[in-house]
Amino acid sequence: MAVNPNELPSLALAYVGDAVYELFVRKHLISTGVVRVNELHRQAVKYVKATTQAKLVFLLEEELSEVELAIVRRGRNAKSGQTPKNTGILEYRQSTGFESLLGYLHLTGQDERLESILGKIPQLVEQTSI
């Protein structure tokens, strides 16, 4: 069954993007030599929390194309019906936009672009002390 990512709701894109990002973070942490589960979890939280994702969108914004920015806006403006537990609603929505972008790039087969964006994230997270 072929699905057109342009026709998917933003929250569906974010659902896929969340999984893509989670796998990226786990593979990155393992590649740095972290192997203890408690430490993996502690380090992963730095990357996956909504506050970090919201800051990453801001830091990457100038590098995104108009289409990519539109996907982020769609995701940011989507109404999930959930209230965030440990973050503000604005950060939560920005993080949904970030995940929507990752899901869109993955589902449209833009693997090089996805890898380009993901490749910048570890340095951004470490440099900005997010």
Side-chain angles (χ1 to χ4, degrees):
M1 175 178 165
V3 176
N4 182 349
N6 292 309
E7 296 175 359
L8 287 175
S10 298
L11 295 177
L13 294 175
Y15 179 75
V16 172
D18 178 62
V20 168
Y21 189 56
E22 183 75 32
L23 183 57
F24 164 77
V25 168
R26 289 176 181 206
K27 286 170 59 177
H28 167 70
L29 293 175
I30 292 289
S31 75
T32 65
V34 178
V35 292
R36 290 185 22 238
V37 174
N38 288 343
E39 183 63 16
L40 285 167
H41 176 72
R42 193 177 70 72
Q43 292 291 321
V45 168
K46 286 191 328 188
Y47 285 82
V48 301
K49 63 185 177 180
T51 305
T52 299
Q53 291 181 14
K55 287 180 182 175
L56 289 170
V57 169
F58 176 76
L59 293 170
L60 292 167
E61 202 169 46
E62 290 182 7
E63 299 179 38
L64 300 180
S65 72
E66 287 303 316
V67 170
E68 292 167 343
L69 288 169
I71 296 295
V72 170
R73 277 191 301 274
R74 272 183 54 205
R76 182 186 67 215
N77 294 333
K79 304 287 189 274
S80 70
Q82 294 180 325
T83 46
K85 294 177 187 167
N86 299 319
T87 188
I89 190 71
L90 295 177
E91 289 174 328
Y92 181 76
R93 288 192 172 165
Q94 278 291 98
S95 70
T96 301
F98 175 72
E99 291 173 345
S100 295
L101 174 62
L102 299 182
Y104 176 81
L105 293 173
H106 176 74
L107 291 173
T108 56
Q110 297 182 56
D111 297 333
E112 280 186 36
R113 181 63 177 146
L114 180 61
E115 291 299 320
S116 172
I117 289 171
L118 291 175
K120 295 173 184 175
I121 289 173
Q123 184 178 5
L124 291 173
V125 170
E126 296 306 318
Q127 278 182 345
T128 58
S129 301
I130 298 176

